[in-house]
Structure formats: structure tokens, C-alpha cells
Amino acid sequence: DGRPQDGVQDVSARARAAGIEIFAIGVGRVDMHTLRQIASEPLDDHVDYVESYSVIEKLTHKFQEAFCVVSDLCATGDHDCEQICVSTPGAYKCACKEGFTLNNDGKTCSACSGGLGSALDLVFLIDGSKSVRPENFELVKKFINQIVDSLEVSDKQAQVGLVQYSSSVRQEFPLGQFKNKKDIKAAVKKMAYMEKGTMTGQALKYLVDSSFSIINGARPGVPKVGIVFTDGRSQDYITDAAKKAKDLGFRMFAVGVGNAVEDELREIASEPVAEHYFYTADFRTISKIGKKLQMKICIEEDPCECKSIVKFQTKVEDLINSLQRK
């Protein structure tokens, strides 16, 4: 992207003489004479220029066509597969992890059970402090309902609870109070904004002591997931409650916006931490985090159990066909 501070002509000639084919790409205020000294012949095929780094990907397809072996599109990131990208000659296709199936769009994946359909007790712990501001609090509500939309809500599948905190903690509704997505989403929309402080430690303690208790609708033996949302530094101590939540086997996700503190998010999040905490500087982009969370909170079916069911069904069908023939 500029004029070199040493000589390129001799060493480039040696490289070309050794059989190395050299392409030279210039960006911005590059010295075009230098590019021609570097590149192989014919120069028209081996010298390229783009006005800025932001448009350099325009050259990708040129090089794919120029090389005998087409480059790996999955490796270059030139795709938008949700889970797995599989390269094919000159193209790619999307695939899914075990326990998931590829949707009709050819890019996204759903769990075997048809979405987040396994039994799950999920509690949202939402920051209602003054710094959030009313207009952003409405975006937080949409974030909650975005995730609720991906759940299969029923007595035997997903249950949802909601807790809001500021200087105090308020349970908006416990696990199991609402039996369908429509009622949960309506209750979320009606949630009033508390304002005041940010007592995240107190809120985590409430989650541990009350939200996942049987008296508040939690089901024994069902996986417990907590999603903690905050926009700033906690005004109290979070370490003990955060540790206890994870020690009890709760799967904890931490979502931070704006002035949220990364160290606190990491302390709240379950292992592996990188998969359980998220941050964005702007409330308007939290819907992107919601999309990532939709797949991460999914409790996958046991593949072995799934295979044994299929094997059993096949055996039964064979026996029925045999009886019909007789």
C-alpha cells in the first residue's frame, strides 16, 4: 500500500527465475511502478489495484479462476453457514452438527426435535437500572421475546421465568406461570421499567436461592439456564453468587451492552466462557446476540437415543411387512 523502503527488482527477478508466479496487489496510494517490478508476465494478468482495503475482496473470484485449484471458500470465510461449511470444487454447501438438521434455506440448522424443544427451565435476569433508559428497555423486551419465539413452551418442554433488578430485585413471573409463548411475550411487553441502581450480585443471589426453586416452578432433573443481561458495572459483589450458580449446575449466559464490564461478564458466564458471554456497544444490535443465543441454549437430544429409536422403528416395520406378506 506504499513505496518500499528497499529494492524489490532483483529479488523479484530471482523469484520469477526460480519458477514462482507472482501476483502484485496495490491498495490506496501504492507505487504502481513497484508492482510491475514485482509481478510476473503478462503484467495485465498479474498486477491489480483497489482503492481501499474495504473492497479488496472484489479480487477473490479473479484469483479463484486464475489458480488451477480453486481456493477453499470455507477457509476464506466467503459463506454464511450457521454451523458447518463444506467446500466443493468452486463452491460450498452448508451442513449441521450431529443432532441438527439443515433448514430449507440451506444455511441455518434446527435441532432434531424441531427447534429448542427439549425440557428446559430458562430464567432471564434483566438489568432495569436508570442507565439503560426507557427506549433501550423496550429493545431489551424485544430481545427476550426473540429468544422466547425459538422455544417450544409447554409443561413438558421449555418453561420461562423473568426477573428484573436495579437497586432491588423483582420477580416479574416465575417458571411455569405461563404455558405458551403468546402469554409469555404479552407479560414481557407489560413489564414496567424499575430504574435506579445496578445490584447484579443481589440479583444473582435471587436467581440461585429462588428462581430455580421448586416453589417457583422449577422441575427436578430438568436443565437450568440463566441469561443475565446488564449494561454497566455492578454496585455490589457478584463473585460468590456467580460461582454458586455454576457449582449448582446452572448454565449461565452473560450479555453485556454499553458500559458492561467484560471481567464481570466472564465471571458470570459458564465454561467455556467464550461461548457463554456476549457484548455489544449498542442496544440496537442486541438482536444479533439473540440469534446466537437461540442455538446455544438448545439442549441437544442424545444421538444414541435417537439412533436406537430409529433402529427399533425399522425393526417393527420389517416385522409388520413380513406379517402382511404371510
PDB file of all heavy atoms in Angstrom, residues 255-291:
ATOM      1  N   VAL A 255     -24.852 -11.393  29.029  1.00  0.00           N
ATOM      2  CA  VAL A 255     -24.997 -10.498  27.885  1.00  0.00           C
ATOM      3  C   VAL A 255     -24.754  -9.072  28.368  1.00  0.00           C
ATOM      4  O   VAL A 255     -25.463  -8.575  29.246  1.00  0.00           O
ATOM      5  CB  VAL A 255     -26.407 -10.604  27.253  1.00  0.00           C
ATOM      6  CG1 VAL A 255     -26.524  -9.651  26.061  1.00  0.00           C
ATOM      7  CG2 VAL A 255     -26.696 -12.035  26.826  1.00  0.00           C
ATOM      8  N   GLY A 256     -23.742  -8.413  27.804  1.00  0.00           N
ATOM      9  CA  GLY A 256     -23.405  -7.051  28.202  1.00  0.00           C
ATOM     10  C   GLY A 256     -23.602  -6.061  27.077  1.00  0.00           C
ATOM     11  O   GLY A 256     -23.351  -6.367  25.917  1.00  0.00           O
ATOM     12  N   VAL A 257     -24.071  -4.862  27.437  1.00  0.00           N
ATOM     13  CA  VAL A 257     -24.278  -3.791  26.459  1.00  0.00           C
ATOM     14  C   VAL A 257     -23.665  -2.506  27.011  1.00  0.00           C
ATOM     15  O   VAL A 257     -23.675  -2.276  28.230  1.00  0.00           O
ATOM     16  CB  VAL A 257     -25.784  -3.578  26.170  1.00  0.00           C
ATOM     17  CG1 VAL A 257     -25.980  -2.449  25.163  1.00  0.00           C
ATOM     18  CG2 VAL A 257     -26.422  -4.838  25.638  1.00  0.00           C
ATOM     19  N   GLY A 258     -23.164  -1.643  26.134  1.00  0.00           N
ATOM     20  CA  GLY A 258     -22.703  -0.320  26.538  1.00  0.00           C
ATOM     21  C   GLY A 258     -21.545  -0.353  27.508  1.00  0.00           C
ATOM     22  O   GLY A 258     -20.441  -0.761  27.167  1.00  0.00           O
ATOM     23  N   ASN A 259     -21.800   0.042  28.759  1.00  0.00           N
ATOM     24  CA  ASN A 259     -20.747   0.146  29.770  1.00  0.00           C
ATOM     25  C   ASN A 259     -20.570  -1.127  30.599  1.00  0.00           C
ATOM     26  O   ASN A 259     -19.968  -1.084  31.676  1.00  0.00           O
ATOM     27  CB  ASN A 259     -21.039   1.332  30.701  1.00  0.00           C
ATOM     28  CG  ASN A 259     -20.935   2.659  29.969  1.00  0.00           C
ATOM     29  OD1 ASN A 259     -20.046   2.851  29.150  1.00  0.00           O
ATOM     30  ND2 ASN A 259     -21.864   3.556  30.247  1.00  0.00           N
ATOM     31  N   ALA A 260     -21.109  -2.238  30.141  1.00  0.00           N
ATOM     32  CA  ALA A 260     -20.922  -3.505  30.851  1.00  0.00           C
ATOM     33  C   ALA A 260     -19.438  -3.832  30.958  1.00  0.00           C
ATOM     34  O   ALA A 260     -18.648  -3.518  30.066  1.00  0.00           O
ATOM     35  CB  ALA A 260     -21.663  -4.633  30.130  1.00  0.00           C
ATOM     36  N   VAL A 261     -19.055  -4.470  32.067  1.00  0.00           N
ATOM     37  CA  VAL A 261     -17.650  -4.765  32.347  1.00  0.00           C
ATOM     38  C   VAL A 261     -17.342  -6.205  31.922  1.00  0.00           C
ATOM     39  O   VAL A 261     -17.964  -7.155  32.414  1.00  0.00           O
ATOM     40  CB  VAL A 261     -17.337  -4.576  33.845  1.00  0.00           C
ATOM     41  CG1 VAL A 261     -15.880  -4.913  34.145  1.00  0.00           C
ATOM     42  CG2 VAL A 261     -17.648  -3.143  34.255  1.00  0.00           C
ATOM     43  N   GLU A 262     -16.369  -6.363  31.032  1.00  0.00           N
ATOM     44  CA  GLU A 262     -16.059  -7.683  30.474  1.00  0.00           C
ATOM     45  C   GLU A 262     -15.659  -8.686  31.557  1.00  0.00           C
ATOM     46  O   GLU A 262     -16.068  -9.847  31.510  1.00  0.00           O
ATOM     47  CB  GLU A 262     -14.948  -7.576  29.434  1.00  0.00           C
ATOM     48  CG  GLU A 262     -14.664  -8.887  28.727  1.00  0.00           C
ATOM     49  CD  GLU A 262     -13.629  -8.746  27.620  1.00  0.00           C
ATOM     50  OE1 GLU A 262     -13.213  -7.622  27.321  1.00  0.00           O
ATOM     51  OE2 GLU A 262     -13.248  -9.788  27.066  1.00  0.00           O
ATOM     52  N   ASP A 263     -14.880  -8.262  32.537  1.00  0.00           N
ATOM     53  CA  ASP A 263     -14.463  -9.173  33.601  1.00  0.00           C
ATOM     54  C   ASP A 263     -15.666  -9.719  34.372  1.00  0.00           C
ATOM     55  O   ASP A 263     -15.687 -10.887  34.769  1.00  0.00           O
ATOM     56  CB  ASP A 263     -13.515  -8.463  34.578  1.00  0.00           C
ATOM     57  CG  ASP A 263     -12.121  -8.260  33.976  1.00  0.00           C
ATOM     58  OD1 ASP A 263     -11.842  -8.885  32.940  1.00  0.00           O
ATOM     59  OD2 ASP A 263     -11.338  -7.483  34.545  1.00  0.00           O
ATOM     60  N   GLU A 264     -16.676  -8.884  34.589  1.00  0.00           N
ATOM     61  CA  GLU A 264     -17.880  -9.337  35.288  1.00  0.00           C
ATOM     62  C   GLU A 264     -18.674 -10.320  34.422  1.00  0.00           C
ATOM     63  O   GLU A 264     -19.202 -11.319  34.926  1.00  0.00           O
ATOM     64  CB  GLU A 264     -18.746  -8.145  35.669  1.00  0.00           C
ATOM     65  CG  GLU A 264     -18.170  -7.292  36.783  1.00  0.00           C
ATOM     66  CD  GLU A 264     -19.124  -6.210  37.261  1.00  0.00           C
ATOM     67  OE1 GLU A 264     -20.214  -6.059  36.642  1.00  0.00           O
ATOM     68  OE2 GLU A 264     -18.806  -5.522  38.247  1.00  0.00           O
ATOM     69  N   LEU A 265     -18.765 -10.028  33.130  1.00  0.00           N
ATOM     70  CA  LEU A 265     -19.466 -10.936  32.224  1.00  0.00           C
ATOM     71  C   LEU A 265     -18.805 -12.317  32.232  1.00  0.00           C
ATOM     72  O   LEU A 265     -19.488 -13.351  32.274  1.00  0.00           O
ATOM     73  CB  LEU A 265     -19.477 -10.380  30.800  1.00  0.00           C
ATOM     74  CG  LEU A 265     -20.188  -9.034  30.578  1.00  0.00           C
ATOM     75  CD1 LEU A 265     -20.032  -8.595  29.129  1.00  0.00           C
ATOM     76  CD2 LEU A 265     -21.653  -9.120  30.951  1.00  0.00           C
ATOM     77  N   ARG A 266     -17.472 -12.327  32.198  1.00  0.00           N
ATOM     78  CA  ARG A 266     -16.730 -13.587  32.210  1.00  0.00           C
ATOM     79  C   ARG A 266     -16.945 -14.335  33.533  1.00  0.00           C
ATOM     80  O   ARG A 266     -16.998 -15.574  33.555  1.00  0.00           O
ATOM     81  CB  ARG A 266     -15.242 -13.318  32.008  1.00  0.00           C
ATOM     82  CG  ARG A 266     -14.880 -12.918  30.585  1.00  0.00           C
ATOM     83  CD  ARG A 266     -13.395 -12.607  30.456  1.00  0.00           C
ATOM     84  NE  ARG A 266     -12.986 -12.525  29.067  1.00  0.00           N
ATOM     85  CZ  ARG A 266     -12.654 -13.554  28.314  1.00  0.00           C
ATOM     86  NH1 ARG A 266     -12.684 -14.775  28.818  1.00  0.00           N
ATOM     87  NH2 ARG A 266     -12.299 -13.397  27.054  1.00  0.00           N
ATOM     88  N   GLU A 267     -17.052 -13.598  34.618  1.00  0.00           N
ATOM     89  CA  GLU A 267     -17.235 -14.221  35.928  1.00  0.00           C
ATOM     90  C   GLU A 267     -18.608 -14.884  36.040  1.00  0.00           C
ATOM     91  O   GLU A 267     -18.763 -15.924  36.672  1.00  0.00           O
ATOM     92  CB  GLU A 267     -17.073 -13.160  37.020  1.00  0.00           C
ATOM     93  CG  GLU A 267     -16.820 -13.736  38.398  1.00  0.00           C
ATOM     94  CD  GLU A 267     -16.320 -12.701  39.385  1.00  0.00           C
ATOM     95  OE1 GLU A 267     -16.151 -11.522  39.013  1.00  0.00           O
ATOM     96  OE2 GLU A 267     -16.091 -13.081  40.542  1.00  0.00           O
ATOM     97  N   ILE A 268     -19.591 -14.282  35.388  1.00  0.00           N
ATOM     98  CA  ILE A 268     -20.954 -14.832  35.403  1.00  0.00           C
ATOM     99  C   ILE A 268     -21.078 -16.036  34.476  1.00  0.00           C
ATOM    100  O   ILE A 268     -21.759 -17.015  34.794  1.00  0.00           O
ATOM    101  CB  ILE A 268     -21.967 -13.744  34.990  1.00  0.00           C
ATOM    102  CG1 ILE A 268     -22.035 -12.636  36.044  1.00  0.00           C
ATOM    103  CG2 ILE A 268     -23.357 -14.343  34.766  1.00  0.00           C
ATOM    104  CD1 ILE A 268     -22.763 -11.382  35.579  1.00  0.00           C
ATOM    105  N   ALA A 269     -20.408 -15.990  33.324  1.00  0.00           N
ATOM    106  CA  ALA A 269     -20.605 -16.979  32.260  1.00  0.00           C
ATOM    107  C   ALA A 269     -20.062 -18.361  32.621  1.00  0.00           C
ATOM    108  O   ALA A 269     -19.052 -18.493  33.299  1.00  0.00           O
ATOM    109  CB  ALA A 269     -19.937 -16.491  30.982  1.00  0.00           C
ATOM    110  N   SER A 270     -20.753 -19.384  32.126  1.00  0.00           N
ATOM    111  CA  SER A 270     -20.312 -20.769  32.298  1.00  0.00           C
ATOM    112  C   SER A 270     -19.139 -21.068  31.371  1.00  0.00           C
ATOM    113  O   SER A 270     -18.846 -20.322  30.441  1.00  0.00           O
ATOM    114  CB  SER A 270     -21.468 -21.732  31.984  1.00  0.00           C
ATOM    115  OG  SER A 270     -22.497 -21.622  32.941  1.00  0.00           O
ATOM    116  N   GLU A 271     -18.476 -22.200  31.631  1.00  0.00           N
ATOM    117  CA  GLU A 271     -17.398 -22.663  30.757  1.00  0.00           C
ATOM    118  C   GLU A 271     -17.970 -23.419  29.555  1.00  0.00           C
ATOM    119  O   GLU A 271     -18.982 -24.113  29.699  1.00  0.00           O
ATOM    120  CB  GLU A 271     -16.458 -23.599  31.539  1.00  0.00           C
ATOM    121  CG  GLU A 271     -15.690 -22.921  32.650  1.00  0.00           C
ATOM    122  CD  GLU A 271     -14.580 -22.014  32.149  1.00  0.00           C
ATOM    123  OE1 GLU A 271     -14.254 -22.098  30.939  1.00  0.00           O
ATOM    124  OE2 GLU A 271     -14.056 -21.236  32.948  1.00  0.00           O
ATOM    125  N   PRO A 272     -17.358 -23.352  28.372  1.00  0.00           N
ATOM    126  CA  PRO A 272     -16.263 -22.443  28.037  1.00  0.00           C
ATOM    127  C   PRO A 272     -16.769 -21.004  27.961  1.00  0.00           C
ATOM    128  O   PRO A 272     -17.779 -20.738  27.295  1.00  0.00           O
ATOM    129  CB  PRO A 272     -15.777 -22.958  26.678  1.00  0.00           C
ATOM    130  CG  PRO A 272     -16.952 -23.683  26.097  1.00  0.00           C
ATOM    131  CD  PRO A 272     -17.727 -24.238  27.247  1.00  0.00           C
ATOM    132  N   VAL A 273     -16.078 -20.113  28.621  1.00  0.00           N
ATOM    133  CA  VAL A 273     -16.541 -18.733  28.785  1.00  0.00           C
ATOM    134  C   VAL A 273     -16.818 -18.053  27.451  1.00  0.00           C
ATOM    135  O   VAL A 273     -17.805 -17.335  27.297  1.00  0.00           O
ATOM    136  CB  VAL A 273     -15.510 -17.917  29.608  1.00  0.00           C
ATOM    137  CG1 VAL A 273     -15.867 -16.439  29.616  1.00  0.00           C
ATOM    138  CG2 VAL A 273     -15.452 -18.447  31.031  1.00  0.00           C
ATOM    139  N   ALA A 274     -15.968 -18.290  26.459  1.00  0.00           N
ATOM    140  CA  ALA A 274     -16.118 -17.617  25.165  1.00  0.00           C
ATOM    141  C   ALA A 274     -17.454 -17.923  24.495  1.00  0.00           C
ATOM    142  O   ALA A 274     -17.949 -17.131  23.688  1.00  0.00           O
ATOM    143  CB  ALA A 274     -14.973 -18.019  24.239  1.00  0.00           C
ATOM    144  N   GLU A 275     -18.056 -19.059  24.841  1.00  0.00           N
ATOM    145  CA  GLU A 275     -19.335 -19.440  24.245  1.00  0.00           C
ATOM    146  C   GLU A 275     -20.524 -18.995  25.078  1.00  0.00           C
ATOM    147  O   GLU A 275     -21.669 -19.157  24.674  1.00  0.00           O
ATOM    148  CB  GLU A 275     -19.394 -20.955  24.045  1.00  0.00           C
ATOM    149  CG  GLU A 275     -18.401 -21.474  23.017  1.00  0.00           C
ATOM    150  CD  GLU A 275     -18.550 -22.970  22.794  1.00  0.00           C
ATOM    151  OE1 GLU A 275     -19.556 -23.546  23.258  1.00  0.00           O
ATOM    152  OE2 GLU A 275     -17.661 -23.558  22.164  1.00  0.00           O
ATOM    153  N   HIS A 276     -20.257 -18.410  26.250  1.00  0.00           N
ATOM    154  CA  HIS A 276     -21.353 -18.075  27.165  1.00  0.00           C
ATOM    155  C   HIS A 276     -21.428 -16.601  27.532  1.00  0.00           C
ATOM    156  O   HIS A 276     -22.253 -16.224  28.374  1.00  0.00           O
ATOM    157  CB  HIS A 276     -21.245 -18.917  28.439  1.00  0.00           C
ATOM    158  CG  HIS A 276     -21.562 -20.363  28.221  1.00  0.00           C
ATOM    159  ND1 HIS A 276     -20.642 -21.267  27.734  1.00  0.00           N
ATOM    160  CD2 HIS A 276     -22.706 -21.073  28.408  1.00  0.00           C
ATOM    161  CE1 HIS A 276     -21.200 -22.461  27.642  1.00  0.00           C
ATOM    162  NE2 HIS A 276     -22.448 -22.371  28.037  1.00  0.00           N
ATOM    163  N   TYR A 277     -20.572 -15.782  26.955  1.00  0.00           N
ATOM    164  CA  TYR A 277     -20.757 -14.350  27.194  1.00  0.00           C
ATOM    165  C   TYR A 277     -20.715 -13.589  25.886  1.00  0.00           C
ATOM    166  O   TYR A 277     -20.026 -13.964  24.940  1.00  0.00           O
ATOM    167  CB  TYR A 277     -19.745 -13.818  28.210  1.00  0.00           C
ATOM    168  CG  TYR A 277     -18.489 -13.216  27.647  1.00  0.00           C
ATOM    169  CD1 TYR A 277     -18.380 -11.832  27.477  1.00  0.00           C
ATOM    170  CD2 TYR A 277     -17.409 -14.004  27.289  1.00  0.00           C
ATOM    171  CE1 TYR A 277     -17.221 -11.269  26.961  1.00  0.00           C
ATOM    172  CE2 TYR A 277     -16.246 -13.444  26.788  1.00  0.00           C
ATOM    173  CZ  TYR A 277     -16.162 -12.082  26.611  1.00  0.00           C
ATOM    174  OH  TYR A 277     -15.029 -11.525  26.095  1.00  0.00           O
ATOM    175  N   PHE A 278     -21.495 -12.484  25.841  1.00  0.00           N
ATOM    176  CA  PHE A 278     -21.640 -11.690  24.632  1.00  0.00           C
ATOM    177  C   PHE A 278     -21.602 -10.213  25.013  1.00  0.00           C
ATOM    178  O   PHE A 278     -22.047  -9.824  26.089  1.00  0.00           O
ATOM    179  CB  PHE A 278     -22.976 -11.987  23.937  1.00  0.00           C
ATOM    180  CG  PHE A 278     -23.193 -13.430  23.630  1.00  0.00           C
ATOM    181  CD1 PHE A 278     -23.770 -14.281  24.565  1.00  0.00           C
ATOM    182  CD2 PHE A 278     -22.828 -13.954  22.407  1.00  0.00           C
ATOM    183  CE1 PHE A 278     -23.972 -15.618  24.296  1.00  0.00           C
ATOM    184  CE2 PHE A 278     -23.024 -15.300  22.123  1.00  0.00           C
ATOM    185  CZ  PHE A 278     -23.594 -16.129  23.067  1.00  0.00           C
ATOM    186  N   TYR A 279     -21.078  -9.412  24.104  1.00  0.00           N
ATOM    187  CA  TYR A 279     -21.050  -7.971  24.368  1.00  0.00           C
ATOM    188  C   TYR A 279     -21.307  -7.203  23.078  1.00  0.00           C
ATOM    189  O   TYR A 279     -20.845  -7.587  21.999  1.00  0.00           O
ATOM    190  CB  TYR A 279     -19.695  -7.530  24.939  1.00  0.00           C
ATOM    191  CG  TYR A 279     -19.595  -6.023  25.041  1.00  0.00           C
ATOM    192  CD1 TYR A 279     -20.180  -5.341  26.101  1.00  0.00           C
ATOM    193  CD2 TYR A 279     -18.962  -5.282  24.039  1.00  0.00           C
ATOM    194  CE1 TYR A 279     -20.134  -3.956  26.163  1.00  0.00           C
ATOM    195  CE2 TYR A 279     -18.915  -3.896  24.098  1.00  0.00           C
ATOM    196  CZ  TYR A 279     -19.502  -3.247  25.165  1.00  0.00           C
ATOM    197  OH  TYR A 279     -19.468  -1.878  25.223  1.00  0.00           O
ATOM    198  N   THR A 280     -22.054  -6.095  23.189  1.00  0.00           N
ATOM    199  CA  THR A 280     -22.222  -5.158  22.091  1.00  0.00           C
ATOM    200  C   THR A 280     -22.268  -3.753  22.667  1.00  0.00           C
ATOM    201  O   THR A 280     -22.765  -3.543  23.779  1.00  0.00           O
ATOM    202  CB  THR A 280     -23.503  -5.440  21.274  1.00  0.00           C
ATOM    203  OG1 THR A 280     -23.618  -4.457  20.228  1.00  0.00           O
ATOM    204  CG2 THR A 280     -24.753  -5.388  22.131  1.00  0.00           C
ATOM    205  N   ALA A 281     -21.724  -2.806  21.926  1.00  0.00           N
ATOM    206  CA  ALA A 281     -21.692  -1.429  22.419  1.00  0.00           C
ATOM    207  C   ALA A 281     -23.036  -0.734  22.278  1.00  0.00           C
ATOM    208  O   ALA A 281     -23.311   0.243  22.972  1.00  0.00           O
ATOM    209  CB  ALA A 281     -20.620  -0.644  21.655  1.00  0.00           C
ATOM    210  N   ASP A 282     -23.891  -1.263  21.417  1.00  0.00           N
ATOM    211  CA  ASP A 282     -25.125  -0.559  21.056  1.00  0.00           C
ATOM    212  C   ASP A 282     -26.343  -1.444  21.295  1.00  0.00           C
ATOM    213  O   ASP A 282     -26.400  -2.581  20.821  1.00  0.00           O
ATOM    214  CB  ASP A 282     -25.051  -0.163  19.569  1.00  0.00           C
ATOM    215  CG  ASP A 282     -26.132   0.823  19.168  1.00  0.00           C
ATOM    216  OD1 ASP A 282     -27.155   0.898  19.861  1.00  0.00           O
ATOM    217  OD2 ASP A 282     -25.948   1.499  18.150  1.00  0.00           O
ATOM    218  N   PHE A 283     -27.334  -0.941  22.004  1.00  0.00           N
ATOM    219  CA  PHE A 283     -28.569  -1.685  22.256  1.00  0.00           C
ATOM    220  C   PHE A 283     -29.256  -2.109  20.962  1.00  0.00           C
ATOM    221  O   PHE A 283     -29.928  -3.132  20.912  1.00  0.00           O
ATOM    222  CB  PHE A 283     -29.547  -0.832  23.084  1.00  0.00           C
ATOM    223  CG  PHE A 283     -29.301  -0.889  24.566  1.00  0.00           C
ATOM    224  CD1 PHE A 283     -28.411  -0.023  25.169  1.00  0.00           C
ATOM    225  CD2 PHE A 283     -29.965  -1.811  25.358  1.00  0.00           C
ATOM    226  CE1 PHE A 283     -28.186  -0.070  26.536  1.00  0.00           C
ATOM    227  CE2 PHE A 283     -29.742  -1.874  26.723  1.00  0.00           C
ATOM    228  CZ  PHE A 283     -28.851  -1.006  27.311  1.00  0.00           C
ATOM    229  N   ARG A 284     -29.071  -1.314  19.906  1.00  0.00           N
ATOM    230  CA  ARG A 284     -29.782  -1.609  18.657  1.00  0.00           C
ATOM    231  C   ARG A 284     -29.274  -2.872  17.975  1.00  0.00           C
ATOM    232  O   ARG A 284     -29.920  -3.377  17.056  1.00  0.00           O
ATOM    233  CB  ARG A 284     -29.641  -0.416  17.694  1.00  0.00           C
ATOM    234  CG  ARG A 284     -30.445   0.815  18.130  1.00  0.00           C
ATOM    235  CD  ARG A 284     -30.111   2.027  17.289  1.00  0.00           C
ATOM    236  NE  ARG A 284     -28.725   2.449  17.490  1.00  0.00           N
ATOM    237  CZ  ARG A 284     -28.183   3.508  16.889  1.00  0.00           C
ATOM    238  NH1 ARG A 284     -28.898   4.229  16.046  1.00  0.00           N
ATOM    239  NH2 ARG A 284     -26.923   3.830  17.112  1.00  0.00           N
ATOM    240  N   THR A 285     -28.139  -3.387  18.419  1.00  0.00           N
ATOM    241  CA  THR A 285     -27.585  -4.591  17.785  1.00  0.00           C
ATOM    242  C   THR A 285     -27.770  -5.855  18.643  1.00  0.00           C
ATOM    243  O   THR A 285     -27.227  -6.898  18.313  1.00  0.00           O
ATOM    244  CB  THR A 285     -26.082  -4.410  17.481  1.00  0.00           C
ATOM    245  OG1 THR A 285     -25.382  -4.180  18.713  1.00  0.00           O
ATOM    246  CG2 THR A 285     -25.857  -3.247  16.547  1.00  0.00           C
ATOM    247  N   ILE A 286     -28.535  -5.764  19.738  1.00  0.00           N
ATOM    248  CA  ILE A 286     -28.665  -6.948  20.602  1.00  0.00           C
ATOM    249  C   ILE A 286     -29.463  -8.067  19.944  1.00  0.00           C
ATOM    250  O   ILE A 286     -29.379  -9.214  20.368  1.00  0.00           O
ATOM    251  CB  ILE A 286     -29.270  -6.614  21.992  1.00  0.00           C
ATOM    252  CG1 ILE A 286     -30.646  -5.956  21.862  1.00  0.00           C
ATOM    253  CG2 ILE A 286     -28.330  -5.751  22.798  1.00  0.00           C
ATOM    254  CD1 ILE A 286     -31.325  -5.731  23.207  1.00  0.00           C
ATOM    255  N   SER A 287     -30.213  -7.747  18.885  1.00  0.00           N
ATOM    256  CA  SER A 287     -30.943  -8.817  18.191  1.00  0.00           C
ATOM    257  C   SER A 287     -29.977  -9.827  17.577  1.00  0.00           C
ATOM    258  O   SER A 287     -30.298 -11.013  17.454  1.00  0.00           O
ATOM    259  CB  SER A 287     -31.855  -8.237  17.112  1.00  0.00           C
ATOM    260  OG  SER A 287     -31.091  -7.569  16.127  1.00  0.00           O
ATOM    261  N   LYS A 288     -28.766  -9.367  17.193  1.00  0.00           N
ATOM    262  CA  LYS A 288     -27.755 -10.291  16.644  1.00  0.00           C
ATOM    263  C   LYS A 288     -27.304 -11.274  17.718  1.00  0.00           C
ATOM    264  O   LYS A 288     -27.080 -12.460  17.448  1.00  0.00           O
ATOM    265  CB  LYS A 288     -26.568  -9.502  16.104  1.00  0.00           C
ATOM    266  CG  LYS A 288     -26.893  -8.643  14.891  1.00  0.00           C
ATOM    267  CD  LYS A 288     -25.669  -7.879  14.412  1.00  0.00           C
ATOM    268  CE  LYS A 288     -26.015  -7.000  13.213  1.00  0.00           C
ATOM    269  NZ  LYS A 288     -24.859  -6.204  12.753  1.00  0.00           N
ATOM    270  N   ILE A 289     -27.160 -10.782  18.945  1.00  0.00           N
ATOM    271  CA  ILE A 289     -26.815 -11.663  20.062  1.00  0.00           C
ATOM    272  C   ILE A 289     -27.946 -12.659  20.297  1.00  0.00           C
ATOM    273  O   ILE A 289     -27.716 -13.835  20.565  1.00  0.00           O
ATOM    274  CB  ILE A 289     -26.537 -10.845  21.336  1.00  0.00           C
ATOM    275  CG1 ILE A 289     -25.258 -10.021  21.159  1.00  0.00           C
ATOM    276  CG2 ILE A 289     -26.423 -11.753  22.562  1.00  0.00           C
ATOM    277  CD1 ILE A 289     -24.941  -9.110  22.322  1.00  0.00           C
ATOM    278  N   GLY A 290     -29.186 -12.174  20.176  1.00  0.00           N
ATOM    279  CA  GLY A 290     -30.347 -13.057  20.349  1.00  0.00           C
ATOM    280  C   GLY A 290     -30.318 -14.237  19.407  1.00  0.00           C
ATOM    281  O   GLY A 290     -30.609 -15.368  19.786  1.00  0.00           O
ATOM    282  N   LYS A 291     -29.913 -13.999  18.154  1.00  0.00           N
ATOM    283  CA  LYS A 291     -29.851 -15.079  17.170  1.00  0.00           C
ATOM    284  C   LYS A 291     -28.813 -16.123  17.564  1.00  0.00           C
ATOM    285  O   LYS A 291     -29.034 -17.332  17.412  1.00  0.00           O
ATOM    286  CB  LYS A 291     -29.532 -14.510  15.791  1.00  0.00           C
ATOM    287  CG  LYS A 291     -30.680 -13.726  15.174  1.00  0.00           C
ATOM    288  CD  LYS A 291     -30.292 -13.145  13.826  1.00  0.00           C
ATOM    289  CE  LYS A 291     -31.436 -12.337  13.231  1.00  0.00           C
ATOM    290  NZ  LYS A 291     -31.063 -11.702  11.950  1.00  0.00           N
TER     291      LYS A 291
END
